[in-house]
Amino acid sequence: MSFIKNLDRDEMRSGFLVKSSTKRLWNAQIGLLMEFARICEKYQLRWFAMYGTLLGAVRHKGFIPWDSDIDLMMFRPD
C-alpha cells in the first residue's frame, strides 16, 4: 500500500532533495506506525508523536524532508 505520493521519483521539498529511496522508507514507516497505533488502541495504550515527527506533521504536513525516523513517546504506565 502506498501512503506517499510519487514513490518512484526524486523531488525537492523545502529546498531539500528527497530521493525515492527515502520516500519508500517513509512509506514503510507509515505502515508500521499504523500497525503500532492499531495495537495501542486495542490494548488502550496511550502514545503520541514527538520531536521531528510532530514538527514534520505540523510544519511540513508529513515528514521533515531531512528526517528519516519516527519519534514516538508513551506514558510510563503504558
Side-chain angles (χ1 to χ4, degrees):
M1 180 178 289
S2 181
F3 305 104
I4 304 289
K5 294 179 184 176
N6 302 316
L7 283 176
D8 57 338
R9 291 190 337 207
D10 296 351
E11 66 179 85
M12 294 296 290
R13 290 188 185 184
S14 301
F16 187 83
L17 176 63
V18 177
K19 295 192 167 260
S20 62
S21 59
T22 300
K23 294 195 302 187
R24 287 191 303 272
L25 173 66
W26 289 346
N27 197 61
Q29 289 175 335
I30 291 172
L32 289 169
L33 179 59
M34 290 177 67
E35 180 64 10
F36 177 79
R38 184 192 69 76
I39 292 168
C40 287
E41 185 174 334
K42 178 179 178 178
Y43 294 103
Q44 299 179 355
L45 301 173
R46 299 169 296 169
W47 66 276
F48 49 97
M50 288 293 296
Y51 310 121
T53 301
L54 181 60
L55 180 63
V58 174
R59 187 169 71 185
H60 296 274
K61 308 297 185 250
F63 285 89
I64 295 175
W66 52 89
D67 196 10
S68 62
D69 65 356
I70 294 180
D71 307 301
L72 304 176
M73 294 288 208
M74 296 181 80
F75 295 101
R76 191 173 300 274
D78 293 334

